[in-house]
Amino acid sequence: MANNLLAGKKGIIFGALDEKSIAWKTALACHAQGAQIVLTNAPVALRMGEINKLSEAIQAPVIGADVTNMDDLKKLFEESQKHFGGGVDFVLHSIGMSLNVRKGKHYTEMNYEWNQKSLDISAMSLHRVLRTAWDMDALNEWGSVVALSYIAAQRVFPDYNEMADAKALLESVARSFGYHYGVRKKVRVNTVSQSPTRTTAGSGVKGFDAFIDYAEKMSPLGNATADDCANYCVTLFSDLTRFVTMQNLFHDGGFSFTGVSEAIVNTMKATADDDVTTA
């Protein structure tokens, strides 16, 4: 439902790769709620993805930026402010990349040079984005920054590998920088811990289908979809959540606070019964 929650607001969305992306869905939702958008991604992602289709749909310019390059980020904010004719009201950080996962390295055998790059791209990039906006005074008062996370930052999911460490660092950056930006300019910074979602990036994690099935059975409301996450981000960019900051907000259908569900217990019982029958 479009009710102009973001009318007059202007935002930068990082990470829209294709129609499966949460960033893609969020861009559509923000546009539907009246926002003006600038889309950005790494140059290699711009070549691989379909972002121009999204750009046409919401009439948003695409400005490439390597999030590990401060000059690129400065140019991104400069061009965005020029396009908007003023400051930025919100930012979505939907960025994650694991070289060790991509190259099949087990967590106990990780390549540390790859790990450093993974942490830089997936977590410290949030610090770089916030630092650039801070130095340029690019975010408007009462602005909002949201970064996408996952519950592996708090719990062990073995095949999530080094990305669990990256998400933990991401959440820490949001809290620490969120404090300073709140004091300085009432800007709020939060992370959203989303249900496992079938994005192009997420599907690259080993055993991802099992992640989704398990979370679906564990969550009282079921898994939150990418569209639902986009709508949640809209609320966090809106003026309705002005005093929410430095939080890791679980958007997972109740998974994060469920010890065990009836569906999981029944599955375990059925498996045990099958084992007895087979024996």
Side-chain angles (χ1 to χ4, degrees):
M1 179 184 296
N3 46 24
N4 289 322
L5 273 178
L6 302 181
K9 293 193 180 295
K10 303 167 178 66
I12 300 174
I13 291 184
F14 288 80
L17 181 66
D18 55 35
E19 292 179 355
K20 296 179 181 178
S21 305
I22 293 174
W24 186 294
K25 306 281 190 182
T26 304
L28 290 174
C30 290
H31 174 72
Q33 294 291 350
Q36 294 181 50
I37 306 294
V38 165
L39 299 169
T40 185
N41 212 328
V44 64
L46 295 182
R47 293 194 296 270
M48 293 169 53
E50 305 170 3
I51 198 169
N52 288 333
K53 188 194 307 184
L54 176 62
S55 171
E56 293 174 10
I58 64 173
Q59 299 178 320
V62 179
I63 303 172
D66 177 351
V67 291
T68 66
N69 186 304
M70 296 296 283
D71 289 335
D72 274 16
L73 290 173
K74 182 179 179 182
K75 181 182 177 183
L76 168 64
F77 276 98
E78 284 176 345
E79 293 189 9
S80 296
Q81 289 179 282
K82 183 177 180 180
H83 171 73
F84 292 142
V88 178
D89 296 299
F90 64 88
V91 174
L92 176 70
H93 179 286
S94 180
I95 302 165
M97 190 280 295
S98 169
L99 284 171
N100 280 287
V101 170
R102 183 182 295 175
K103 295 177 181 290
K105 279 284 188 182
H106 192 270
Y107 184 78
T108 60
E109 301 171 343
M110 74 166 64
N111 178 302
Y112 295 114
E113 290 183 6
W114 296 346
N115 176 248
Q116 187 173 14
K117 290 180 181 178
S118 298
L119 294 177
D120 199 17
I121 294 170
S122 304
M124 289 309 296
S125 59
L126 176 61
H127 196 288
R128 291 175 185 271
V129 168
L130 291 167
R131 163 81 182 277
T132 303
W134 173 279
D135 288 347
M136 297 176 65
D137 196 21
L139 291 180
N140 291 330
E141 192 170 71
W142 295 105
S144 176
V145 178
V146 172
L148 298 183
S149 191
Y150 183 55
I151 196 173
Q154 288 84 29
R155 300 187 189 176
V156 176
F157 292 81
D159 292 326
Y160 203 65
N161 205 304
E162 66 179 350
M163 281 303 296
D165 298 339
K167 293 302 187 186
L169 178 56
L170 180 79
E171 292 174 14
S172 179
V173 169
R175 286 189 297 271
S176 297
F177 221 125
Y179 168 80
H180 295 290
Y181 234 142
V183 169
R184 179 180 182 178
K185 210 169 181 183
K186 306 299 184 186
V187 169
R188 55 204 193 270
V189 184
N190 295 289
T191 55
V192 170
S193 189
Q194 166 67 1
S195 296
T197 309
R198 273 185 215 284
T199 62
T200 299
S203 298
V205 177
K206 181 181 176 183
F208 193 72
D209 287 341
F211 272 26
I212 289 181
D213 184 55
Y214 174 71
E216 180 72 26
K217 290 178 178 177
M218 274 285 287
S219 307
L221 301 181
N223 288 331
T225 68
D227 286 306
D228 289 317
C229 187
N231 290 333
Y232 190 40
C233 289
V234 165
T235 69
L236 293 171
F237 295 146
S238 79
D239 291 337
L240 298 179
T241 53
R242 276 192 164 196
F243 287 89
V244 180
T245 193
M246 299 162 61
Q247 303 298 307
N248 179 52
L249 302 161
F250 291 103
H251 186 256
D252 59 8
F255 176 89
S256 48
F257 287 92
T258 302
V260 69
S261 67
E262 187 175 356
I264 291 294
V265 171
N266 289 339
T267 298
M268 293 172 67
K269 284 181 178 178
T271 301
D273 290 343
D274 288 343
D275 290 342
V276 170
T277 302
T278 302

